[in-house]
Amino acid sequence: MKVSKNQTIQDFGEQWVRYRDNEGYYGSLELFSDILSPFLKPDELKGCKVAEIGSGTGRIVNMLLEAGAENVIASEPSEALDVLRENIRQPDKVTCLKITGDQLPASGDLDYVFSIGVLHHIQDPTPVVEAAFNALRPGGHLFIWVYGKEGNRLYLTFLTLLRMFTTHLPHRMLTSLVEMMYWPLVSYMKLCHRCALPLRRYLLAVFEKMSPQKRRLVIYDQLNPSFAKYYTRPEVEKLLLDGKFRDVRVHHRHGYSWTAIGTKPQP
Ligand SMILES: C[S@@+](CC[C@H](N)C(=O)[O-])C[C@H]1O[C@@H](n2cnc3c(N)ncnc32)[C@H](O)[C@@H]1O
């Protein structure tokens, strides 16, 4: 289904002014290490000049700062920009820009560009990948994390049906639905300790470590945005290779999503 770009951005603006903070494991360096593994360690970002595309409420920006990044460009196109500004822990090191990913300035001097949980919400992500390429120095890296298709077939069938309805719900009704789903999901997560059920690895490695409030946000985040795409491994590879990145490596994270890193070649 064709969804307008502005609709997804508006959905997130409304989501982030309601779920403003990044407390606990959800905003931790421990989670960042998990996201970066096996390609990078937070230490490798010490002194680096980086950008994040689609910063939301700034949890990744704060993770980048805690890892030691020297300068961060935080870009966020939605009304969440004010929340992002409020949440940033070292504002002197951060430039906040209210832009879409394709408008990232082509400075050509960044060591890394990150886009965590964003490209799968953009119908045509190619211009965003191109903008990341132009913002990086030769030898710089683009790191992305997107939802995965492989291994999620049962979950995606259920989710696709549910989203036909939930993407149109007003906030209050959606939070009531999230509340109804919360305890059954927690019971399912506990069952995962004993049985090899779908999504087991993600639920035990990530979801279980989050606070109840952040688990509810994760459920809300699956049901709210108008557009979400679930990528196959070849689609992830193609996205970076078409954007002229080389040495592209892809990792199946906890069996439910993809992280990928590509390098801008030297001229
Ligand atoms: C799931 S959130 C991820 C936020 C943050 N990266 C994190 O992991 O906490 C996706 C974000 O992408 C932003 N976004 C949506 N469309 C975008 C676009 N075309 N360019 C850049 N960001 C976009 C949304 O506004 C939202 O804040």
Side-chain angles (χ1 to χ4, degrees), residues 22 55-62 65 72-75 81-97:
N22 297 307
S55 297
T57 57
R59 70 175 177 144
I60 304 291
V61 176
N62 281 333
L65 291 167
V72 184
I73 296 172
S75 68
L81 198 81
D82 293 338
V83 183
L84 169 68
R85 283 208 178 98
E86 276 168 33
N87 283 344
I88 287 171
R89 294 205 197 103
Q90 299 174 61
D92 49 314
K93 292 188 175 177
V94 182
T95 308
C96 292
L97 301 176

Side-chain angles (χ1 to χ4, degrees), residues 9 12 16 52 54-56 59-60 76-78 100-101 116-118 122:
I9 292 172
F12 275 110
W16 297 135
E52 194 208 359
S55 297
R59 70 175 177 144
I60 304 291
E76 170 58 37
S78 78
T100 49
I116 312 286
V118 176
I122 301 175

Side-chain angles (χ1 to χ4, degrees), residues 93-151:
K93 292 188 175 177
V94 182
T95 308
C96 292
L97 301 176
K98 191 171 183 183
I99 52 170
T100 49
D102 54 306
Q103 296 167 333
L104 189 69
S107 58
D109 64 349
L110 302 182
D111 300 302
Y112 289 92
V113 174
F114 291 87
S115 192
I116 312 286
V118 176
L119 296 181
H120 50 224
H121 292 302
I122 301 175
Q123 295 194 52
D124 180 10
T126 303
V128 180
V129 173
E130 285 169 3
F133 187 91
N134 294 330
L136 286 164
R137 63 166 171 78
H141 309 280
L142 170 64
F143 181 100
I144 67 168
W145 173 73
V146 290
Y147 296 149
K149 197 168 204 173
E150 291 89 335

Side-chain angles (χ1 to χ4, degrees), residues 29-74:
L29 197 60
E30 188 189 346
L31 175 57
F32 196 41
S33 299
D34 183 285
I35 295 171
L36 296 181
S37 170
F39 299 129
L40 289 171
K41 292 198 169 57
D43 269 1
E44 292 175 66
L45 302 174
K46 272 206 174 87
C48 287
K49 210 168 169 180
V50 306
E52 194 208 359
I53 293 174
S55 297
T57 57
R59 70 175 177 144
I60 304 291
V61 176
N62 281 333
M63 291 171 184
L64 290 164
L65 291 167
E66 200 176 337
E70 196 45 47
N71 289 100
V72 184
I73 296 172

